Amino acid sequence: MSAAKGKGPASAISTDQLLRFYRQMVAIRLFEERVNDLYTRALMPGLAHLYIGEEAIAVGMCEALRKDDYVTSTHRGHGHCLAKGASPDLMFAELLGKEAGYCKGKGGSMHIADPGTGNLGANAIVGGSAGIATGAAFASKYLKTGQVAVCFFGEGALGQGLLYEEMNLAQLWKLPVVFVCENNGYNEYTHFSESTAGGVTARAAAFGIATETGDGQNVREVYTLATSYIERARRGEGPAFLEFKTYRYHGHHVGDIARAYYRPKAEEQEWVTTRDPITLHGVWLVAQGVIDQAGLDRIQSEVAAEMDAAMEFGIKAPYPDPARVGEDVYA
C-alpha cells in the first residue's frame, strides 16, 4: 500500500492514523464553524481567520511530528493549534477572553499558543514566526535534542524579508526546520500572481534548500511528504521548503463576507464541491474498506458533540480579574 500522491491503499499509514486524519480534520472544521457562529452572535471580541478548507495541511504535517517538536503558526492558526494537540475547550476560552484560555484570555485568536504541545504561537505579523521557528531549530541543534520545528505561513509571507533571512541561516547552519507555505491563492484580497514574481519554491531553492510542492487537499500526500522531510531534518540534513496548494473557503477573516469583487464565486464553488479535503479523504476511506459511511457519520456526530461542549465551556468560563491586566506583559 503506497500513500504517495494519495494513490492506492496506504500500508505506510496505519488504519488508526487514517481514521485519526479524518477525525482531526472534522474537528478543525467544526471548531471553525463554531468560531464563526460566536463572531456572528457578537460573543467573540475581535476577528478570526478561519482555516476551513485547509485542514489537511495542519493534520498531515502535525501527525508526522513528535509531541516535543515545535510549530509556529499564523494569523490563521486554529487548525495548527488543534492538530498539534491543543484542547478545544481551552481554545474557545482563549478566543472569548476567558481566564481558562491558553494565554489567560490575553492572546485571543491571532496570538494563541500552547507550549505544552510544542506550539510556540500564532502570529498576527505576516511571516513573523519565521524567526521563532528557526530559533527553536537552532536551539534543538545546539542542545542536541533531536527536535524539529515546522514553520507555517501563507504565500503572502513571500513578500517579507525576514523569511529569506531565516531560510538563509537555516541552510547555512543546516538547522532542523521545515518551512511550510500554505498557498491558498490570495494575499488577503489580491491573487498571489499579482504580488509574487517567479516561482514559489524557486525562492527557497535559491538558497539550496530542498523543496517540493504537494496537494494540500490530500491529507495522505501531505503526511507522506511531511514524514520524509521532517525525518530528513531530524537526521541533520538541513531545512526544507514545502508548498501546499490549498484554498480558504471563507473570507480573509470572519467579516469578509462578499468576496465576489476579488475572486469568482465559480472558483469557490469548484474547490468546495470537488476539492474538499474531508470529503476526499472520507470517500477514499470508504472505497478502501477502512470504514463505511455510517462510521464516518458517527465520527461527525461524536466530534460535533465534543465541539458543542467545548464551546459551551468557553462561553460559561469566567473572565479574568481586571486587577491581573498587568501580568504577563512586557511593555
Side-chain angles (χ1 to χ4, degrees), residues 1-13 215 218 220-221 224 284 288:
M1 287 180 34
S2 171
K5 305 301 181 186
K7 296 178 181 177
S11 69
I13 309 175
D215 181 1
N218 186 326
R220 301 180 306 283
E221 180 173 336
T224 299
W284 186 89
Q288 298 300 320

Side-chain angles (χ1 to χ4, degrees), residues 1 3 10-26 56 58-66 83 218-224 226-228 230-231 281-282 284-285 290-291 296 299:
M1 287 180 34
S11 69
I13 309 175
S14 71
T15 297
D16 285 347
Q17 284 179 304
L18 290 168
L19 292 174
R20 187 159 58 247
F21 292 168
Y22 188 81
R23 179 177 287 272
Q24 287 181 307
M25 288 194 292
V26 169
V59 171
M61 289 299 306
C62 290
E63 179 69 23
L65 292 169
R66 300 187 327 207
N218 186 326
V219 68
R220 301 180 306 283
E221 180 173 336
V222 174
Y223 173 75
T224 299
T227 300
S228 175
I230 287 170
E231 292 312 310
H281 188 53
W284 186 89
L285 289 174
V290 176
I291 194 173
L296 294 180
I299 291 173

